């Protein structure tokens, strides 16, 4: 397995381009199953999770053509199998996103249950309950969700809690249902809005995305289109955090500052000078030390759980004491034990980490446990004394496009060592 070796101590400087959003590209690729004609999706990031999605669609018999700029054209007219196998779903939970589209378009779907993962139990009960309310006949057998419906019916869905892929699955299913579906307590994430925009470009009638009530008027069919995925706000936030932790000065381009307001506010509170334009964000630490911040994760527009681990690393080397409360996932502090091995002073109590900033971190071999946890270890490595070796970086490759190339472009001393 590849490793990253990072020699800490260089402030990042320069500019980089942000890639397309993984969490928008995945549901949009699943949504192509709904269309009668070919759908071309642009600004797709080059990531392992995208490769897994392509493999999933490919195994169903869907035709995919990828050009050199990572535009993917998907044609579902050749679909043979309405099946998502365990071996793919367990490596990428977002595979569950094919459930709603397959059922709505083809009347049948067999999708593996994802099971637990490193950051908690992560059930999909709300996806299933919503589809049942829309008239689907669903049973779970042998670890698989078996769903059937001759045509889904519009329904009034009140979500017990805010779920991003749950909202997306039900919104996609509703596009081809008979009648109108209302989703209350819907997720408001920008990626949900991007999916709704793509569905509307395919001829769907979705309104209210971005708010907590989404309304979907079912139509008889959806057609092909060309849609470019929005920029990745978590990748944006991670590079801003990397600049901040190293005391650097960077510009990130091709991003959307409006999607990052909660993160930018915390970076400013931590002492960073942040300026934003239409499609760029500048961050400059101007020689000052980071200050600790208190963070509480919550669904959008509050502070994202996918930036929690990175801000844990910022607090580790900041002046003062900061608390990080994780309210979205039950077990998302795996990075804490690795950071402690580099000299971090962190006390964990339930879903809260109390972090006393230290003056220096020392390099150590550390192990990535999940996608964002691995980003926090890379950040710590950028400031630790010595060579930090990050193992199991396949987690990073799931969600960060060419991370070592982008960081090296900003002056970081980082290299990938193949297994
Ligand atoms: C998505 C993101 C992930 C992000 C998360 C929260 C994608 C592909 N992934 O994951 O990066 O960290 O949102 O912003 O977009 N839950 C239930 N029952 C359900 C569904 C969810 O109890 O049926 C719970 C989960 O266990 C969790 C909470 O709801 O505690 C939120 O999870 P959810 O928003 O569904 O996360 P994902 O959509 O899997």
């Amino acid at each position: 397995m590849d490793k990253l070796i990072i020699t800490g101590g260089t402030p990042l400087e320069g500019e980089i381009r942000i890639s397309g959003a993984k969490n928008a590209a995945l549901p949009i690729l699943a949504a192509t199953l709904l269309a009668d004609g070919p759908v071309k999706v642009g600004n797709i990031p080059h990531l392992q999770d995208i490769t897994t999605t392509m493999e999933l669609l490919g195994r169903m018999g869907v035709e995919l053509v990828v050009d050199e700029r990572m535009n993917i054209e998907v044609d579902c007219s050749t679909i043979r199998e309405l099946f998502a196998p365990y071996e793919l779903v367990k490596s990428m939970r977002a595979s569950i996103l094919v459930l709603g589209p397959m059922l709505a378009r083809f009347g049948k779907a067999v999708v593996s249950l994802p099971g637990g993962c490193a950051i908690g139990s992560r059930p999909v009960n709300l996806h299933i309950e919503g589809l049942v309310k829309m008239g689907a006949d669903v049973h779970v057998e042998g670890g698989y969700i078996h769903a059937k419906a001759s045509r889904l019916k519009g329904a009034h869905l009140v979500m017990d809690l805010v779920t991003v892929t749950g909202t997306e699955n039900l919104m996609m299913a509703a596009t081809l249902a008979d009648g109108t579906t209302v989703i209350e307590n819907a997720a408001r994430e920008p990626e949900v809005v991007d999916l709704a925009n793509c569905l509307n470009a395919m001829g769907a009638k979705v309104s209210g995305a971005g708010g907590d009530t989404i309304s979907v008027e079912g139509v008889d069919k959806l057609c092909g289109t060309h849609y470019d995925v929005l920029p990745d706000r978590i990748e944006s936030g991670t590079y801003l955090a990397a600049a901040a932790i190293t005391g650097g000065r960077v510009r990130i381009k091709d991003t959307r500052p409006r999607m990052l307001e909660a993160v930018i506010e915390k970076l400013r509170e931590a002492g960073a000078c942040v300026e934003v334009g239409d499609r760029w964000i500048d961050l400059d630490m101007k020689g000052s030390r980071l200050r600790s911040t208190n963070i509480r994760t919550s669904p959008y527009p509050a502070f994202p759980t996918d930036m929690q681990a990175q801000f844990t690393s910022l607090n580790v080397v900041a002046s003062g004491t900061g608390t990080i409360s994780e309210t979205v996932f039950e077990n998302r502090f795996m990075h804490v034990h690795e950071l402690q091995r580099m000299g971090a002073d962190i006390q964990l109590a339930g879903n809260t980490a109390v972090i006393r900033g230290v003056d220096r971190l020392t390099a150590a071999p550390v192990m990535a446990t999940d996608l964002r946890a691995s980003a926090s270890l890379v950040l710590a490595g950028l400031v630790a004394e010595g060579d930090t070796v990050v193992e199991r970086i396949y987690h990073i490759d799931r969600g960060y496009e060419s991370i070592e190339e982008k960081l090296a472009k900003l002056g970081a001393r980082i290299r990938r060592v193949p297994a």
Side-chain angles (χ1 to χ4, degrees):
M1 275 183 265
D2 291 5
K3 298 172 186 175
L4 285 178
I5 301 181
I6 307 159
T7 310
T10 312
L12 299 188
E13 264 197 59
E15 53 178 54
I16 48 159
R17 186 189 164 266
I18 295 304
S19 304
K22 169 179 88 71
N23 286 355
L26 298 179
I28 286 172
L29 286 173
T32 62
L33 290 167
L34 293 160
D36 266 6
V39 180
K40 192 167 185 175
V41 190
N43 202 29
I44 297 249
H46 204 296
L47 299 171
Q48 185 54 44
D49 273 8
I50 298 296
T51 311
T52 306
T53 306
M54 289 171 65
E55 192 179 340
L56 178 61
L57 294 173
R59 285 210 205 172
M60 293 175 187
V62 169
E63 248 174 50
L64 298 133
V65 180
V66 188
D67 69 19
E68 69 288 350
R69 302 185 61 211
M70 274 301 278
N71 293 303
I72 304 184
E73 189 168 287
V74 191
D75 181 352
C76 296
S77 59
T78 51
I79 198 157
R80 295 183 304 267
E81 264 195 286
L82 302 165
F83 179 65
Y86 177 60
E87 65 196 274
L88 291 179
V89 181
K90 75 169 188 231
S91 68
M92 189 190 67
R93 300 177 42 81
S95 309
I96 190 75
L97 285 164
V98 296
L99 175 63
M102 269 200 285
L103 183 61
R105 170 99 192 277
F106 303 104
K108 196 183 149 198
V110 180
V111 177
S112 171
L113 275 172
C117 74
I119 63 174
S121 67
R122 296 183 83 176
V124 290
N125 57 310
L126 301 173
H127 302 232
I128 296 175
E129 281 167 27
L131 293 173
V132 168
K133 285 204 180 113
M134 293 170 77
D137 175 5
V138 184
H139 70 278
V140 174
E141 200 182 305
Y144 279 83
I145 305 164
H146 297 254
K148 267 195 217 155
S150 50
R151 186 171 182 194
L152 292 170
K153 291 190 254 322
H156 191 125
L157 309 174
V158 182
M159 308 300 286
D160 270 358
L161 47 82
V162 177
T163 155
V164 176
T165 50
T167 301
E168 291 167 344
N169 231 338
L170 297 172
M171 184 166 86
M172 288 190 281
T175 57
L176 291 179
D178 182 15
T180 299
T181 300
V182 176
I183 308 174
E184 286 196 51
N185 199 23
R188 296 159 67 187
E189 269 66 6
E191 294 76 21
V192 174
V193 179
D194 209 39
L195 172 64
N197 290 341
C198 176
L199 291 168
N200 286 340
M202 288 159 64
K205 291 189 173 162
V206 181
S207 58
D212 58 12
T213 304
I214 296 176
S215 183
V216 186
E217 198 184 319
V219 295
D220 288 336
K221 62 177 208 158
L222 296 181
C223 53
T225 189
H226 181 163
Y227 191 82
D228 285 332
V229 171
L230 95 168
D232 197 309
R233 65 195 163 98
I234 305 302
E235 189 197 27
S236 304
T238 302
Y239 284 105
L240 293 175
I245 202 167
T246 61
R249 187 167 65 126
V250 301
R251 166 169 290 196
I252 57 167
K253 296 184 300 186
D254 294 341
T255 185
R256 293 204 198 152
R258 287 282 306 274
M259 304 188 295
L260 276 150
E261 279 173 3
V263 172
I264 290 173
E265 201 177 301
K266 285 294 170 188
L267 286 166
R268 287 187 174 133
E269 208 181 304
C273 298
V274 183
E275 278 182 47
V276 302
D278 184 26
R279 300 254 152 172
W280 53 264
I281 305 174
D282 282 351
L283 181 143
D284 189 348
M285 283 308 292
K286 298 201 168 153
S288 58
R289 184 175 175 190
L290 279 167
R291 292 191 294 268
S292 288
T293 52
N294 296 325
I295 305 275
R296 185 183 163 81
T297 66
S298 265
Y300 191 85
F303 191 92
T305 173
D306 285 350
M307 284 300 301
Q308 182 260 102
Q310 299 88 319
F311 270 70
T312 304
S313 291
L314 295 192
N315 272 357
V316 159
V317 295
S319 63
T321 299
T323 59
I324 307 248
S325 298
E326 172 59 59
T327 75
V328 179
F329 290 110
E330 61 190 21
N331 181 26
R332 207 175 195 180
F333 280 121
M334 303 290 277
H335 46 291
V336 162
H337 309 292
E338 299 301 300
L339 291 170
Q340 283 166 335
R341 298 182 55 249
M342 298 173 75
D345 179 351
I346 308 174
Q347 303 289 323
L348 264 184
N351 70 345
T352 300
V354 179
I355 304 159
R356 284 181 195 81
V358 294
D359 291 334
R360 57 190 274 272
L361 290 180
T362 47
V366 287
M367 205 168 71
T369 50
D370 69 69
L371 171 54
R372 306 304 169 186
S374 36
S376 76
L377 301 178
V378 172
L379 260 53
L382 290 171
V383 286
E385 286 170 16
D387 288 353
T388 298
V389 181
V390 186
E391 295 192 33
R392 299 204 183 168
I393 58 164
Y394 54 86
H395 289 292
I396 302 191
D397 296 333
R398 286 190 43 214
Y400 289 96
E401 183 172 58
S402 318
I403 191 165
E404 72 275 21
E405 283 168 35
K406 287 190 180 183
L407 284 172
K409 188 163 183 269
L410 296 174
R413 285 180 289 163
I414 179 168
R415 64 198 160 90
R416 179 183 289 256
V417 181

